[in-house]
Each structure stands twice: as C-alpha cells, then as structure tokens.
Amino acid sequence: MSSRSSIWQWTALAGVSLPLALALKWAAFPAAMLLGPMLAAVAFGLRGAGVRVPGWGFQAAQAVVGCQVGTAVTASILATALEAWWAMLLVVGATVAFGALVAAALERWRLLPSNTAAWGFSPGGAAAMTALASEYGADVRLVAFTQYLRLFVVVLTASGVSRLLLGAAPSSFQPAPLLDFGFAAPDGALLAALGVIGGGCWLGRRLRVPAGAMLLPMTAAAALHVTGAAHLSLPPWLLAVAYAGLGWSIGLRFTPDSVRHALRAIPALLGATAALIGLCALSSWFLNAALGVDPLTAYLATSPGGLDSVAVIAVGSRADVPFVLAVQTLRLFAVVLAGPLVARLVCRAASPKGGGDSCP
C-alpha cells in the first residue's frame, strides 16, 4: 500500500471515528472513545481497508490504559480485594470451565472442530490464544476470527449493560464535556506517567509477559500511587488516543477474507458467545450475593472480554475499577496458563480415538 493511500485511509477512519465517538458520549455510553473507533474500524475493515495498528501502537495504547487503571488503586481497595481472593478464584475457575463447556458443545453439534473451538472460546487473551493455537494444530484463521468476534460482542454488550445500569444511577452523575481534551503543557505528573508507560511497555516486551504492556505499567502505577512515591497524571487527549488505538486494533481485524472464511460458522459463533456471556453473568450474581459487590462491578469483573477493553469500560462507568481489574487480570493469567490443558481435554473428550482436527 502506498503511503498516500495509507494516510488517506487513516484520515478517513479518524474522521468517521470522532463524530461516532462523540455521539456515543452524548448518549452517555461508557467507553464511547473506544466504541466509536471500534465500530468505524469494523466498517472500514469489511470494506477492504489495508491499514493496521502497528504492534508497538497497540502495546502503547495498552500501557496508557494500564497506567490509568493503576492510578485508581488505593490501599483500602487493595485490602478489600485481597480479602475476597477465594471468591475471585472461584469465579475465574468457573469462567475457564464455561469456555470449555461452550467449546465442547460446538464440537458435539459439529459446528466447529474441537481443537479450534477450544482455543477460540478461551475467555481472554485473544492475541495470546491465537498465537498459541498455531502451535497446537488449530485453524488459526478461525481461532482469530472467533476470539475477536467474541471480544467485539462482549465489548458492545458490556457497554450496553453499563449504560442501562448507569441510567438507574443517581442524577448527580454528570457526563464529561464532549470535547474536553485538556491540552496543557507537560508537567512532572505527566512526565512520571510517561516514564511508567514507556518503561513498563519496554519491560513487558523484553520479558514476554502475557499482556505485559498493560499489566506492568498498571502494577507500577498502582505501587507508586498507593505508597505515595509519585503522583501520576494522564491528560484526556492521551487517553482518547489510546482508546482509539485499541478500538481500531480490534475493529480492523474484521476483514472480508476472515469473514468469508468463517461465514458458515458466524450464527453458531454468535450463539456460543451469547451463551458464554450468559454463563459468566451467573458468576456476577454469585459475586453480588456472596460479597455484596454492586451489580455493575460484578458484571464487568466476570465479563469474558479483553482486559484492556473491559478496563476502559470500567473506568468510564461507576464500577469499582481495581476489583474489576483484579478479577480480569487473574483470569487472564489462568487462561494463558491453562489454555493448552483445556484445549487438550476438550479435544480428547470430543475425539477419544483421535478423530477431528489434530489434538495438542
């Protein structure tokens, strides 16, 4: 693709994304600056747009969101989360089991090969699951499409549920001005935040930590904030750029080729995704009943989406962000570590004599 064509496509994509994001923000949707670009990118991707968010751009966006989330952590909130570790473990275990159950059902009804279904419905870590699937004999194109279709549906659903629950909130809630981008000269707090973002992003790549570009800045920012060692501040314009980067990265993966490859499976994938969301919603009911966690926080904590996208929605709503991220982070590591074992169990249970696609 020529540089002129690339510049034109990025300009057009940004020109569509901004008004769509502002319309969603005017309607008080959480994470409007993520949803608008994501919806615009899906439309551009399906029309054959050749631009893609580079890997470093996606990781930088994750690092910004991670730093923002880390600044919301306080010592009292951390203590509350540690007290509820047993409930978090139960919820995470149930979510992994739900993903395996949905994958087994898809194979039993001959809607997807067992190995591909198992990797496609591992709830979380879409990029990691796609990369691992290629090493275990699954159909990588179908796994990638399944993962990002699930992520797309989950983000839309979570944002819609958050909007409904926010609608029932006290009238004291006031949405931010539509064009409040807060441009200002860099100060010490911003420079400290940029240092955390850059250092965490670099270290995550070097250590190959799953979602390290987000988790390491989030951990560092939380530690600095809780101990009072440094004050971090992120301007609205930087957050808006990061949210747009995440939305574009998700949406542009929906290309005509990927959709054609999975066309016959789309109804089954949508149904399975709805089933997984419903099963995970049962876990949110458990958190609400056992710990007294508010419904919005419980729903986002158990939502089977990506860590970064759920973080953006949680920050844009009235949820308990550290609790949501604690559960989501624990699930991410559980899914990455247990993914090969779950895929093997689902595949062997579905094809005890070695039938179907190759088992890991």
Side-chain angles (χ1 to χ4, degrees):
M1 181 193 304
S2 67
S3 59
R4 179 176 298 179
S5 175
S6 178
I7 292 172
W8 184 91
Q9 289 188 33
W10 278 120
T11 302
L13 180 57
V16 173
S17 298
L18 181 58
L20 187 54
L22 293 178
L24 290 170
K25 191 171 183 181
W26 175 81
F29 267 85
M33 288 297 174
L34 169 73
L35 287 176
M38 184 178 72
L39 292 172
V42 169
F44 272 65
L46 293 179
R47 290 184 62 86
V51 292
R52 296 291 181 272
V53 176
W56 63 265
F58 178 62
Q59 291 181 335
Q62 286 185 311
V64 171
V65 173
C67 184
Q68 181 197 21
V69 170
T71 60
V73 178
T74 65
S76 60
I77 290 174
L78 186 61
T80 301
L82 291 175
E83 290 175 2
W85 64 268
W86 61 273
M88 292 183 181
L89 286 178
L90 284 176
V91 166
V92 167
T95 303
V96 174
F98 291 154
L101 182 63
V102 169
L106 286 171
E107 196 285 333
R108 183 176 181 82
W109 294 330
R110 299 294 186 266
L111 298 172
L112 279 183
S114 56
N115 197 15
T116 299
W119 288 106
F121 277 90
S122 292
M129 292 301 101
T130 302
L132 287 173
S134 65
E135 300 178 12
Y136 286 88
D139 186 332
V140 179
R141 289 180 299 172
L142 197 51
V143 169
F145 183 83
T146 301
Q147 283 284 344
Y148 286 99
L149 178 66
R150 175 185 56 78
L151 181 58
F152 178 75
V153 173
V154 168
V155 170
L156 288 182
T157 304
S159 183
V161 170
S162 300
R163 174 67 181 87
L164 291 174
L165 292 177
L166 280 175
S171 59
S172 60
F173 172 71
Q174 296 293 332
L178 293 183
L179 291 173
D180 179 19
F181 291 111
F183 289 98
D187 57 12
L190 173 57
L191 293 176
L194 293 177
V196 168
I197 291 167
C201 201
W202 175 82
L203 194 59
R205 285 175 61 92
R206 188 170 183 82
L207 299 180
R208 302 185 180 222
V209 178
M214 179 176 181
L215 292 177
L216 294 183
M218 181 176 72
T219 303
L224 292 172
H225 187 253
V226 169
T227 60
H231 177 63
L232 308 178
S233 176
L234 295 170
W237 64 264
L238 181 59
L239 295 174
V241 171
Y243 293 171
L246 291 176
W248 288 336
S249 179
I250 296 170
L252 288 171
R253 295 175 187 268
F254 290 82
T255 64
D257 287 341
S258 67
V259 172
R260 277 194 295 269
H261 181 69
L263 192 60
R264 293 182 180 179
I266 286 178
L269 295 179
L270 289 173
T273 299
L276 182 59
I277 292 173
L279 289 170
C280 290
L282 294 177
S283 298
S284 70
W285 173 84
F286 166 76
L287 286 178
N288 178 258
L291 302 178
V293 177
D294 67 90
L296 177 57
T297 296
Y299 181 85
L300 293 177
T302 57
S303 180
L307 175 64
D308 44 21
S309 54
V310 173
V312 174
I313 295 172
V315 169
S317 66
R318 305 182 66 173
D320 183 341
V321 177
F323 186 89
V324 170
L325 269 296
V327 178
Q328 289 282 342
T329 301
L330 183 60
R331 193 196 72 213
L332 171 64
F333 281 105
V335 166
V336 171
L337 293 175
L341 175 61
V342 171
R344 186 179 299 113
L345 292 175
V346 171
C347 188
R348 296 289 168 82
S351 308
K353 297 183 180 180
D357 59 348
S358 58
C359 293

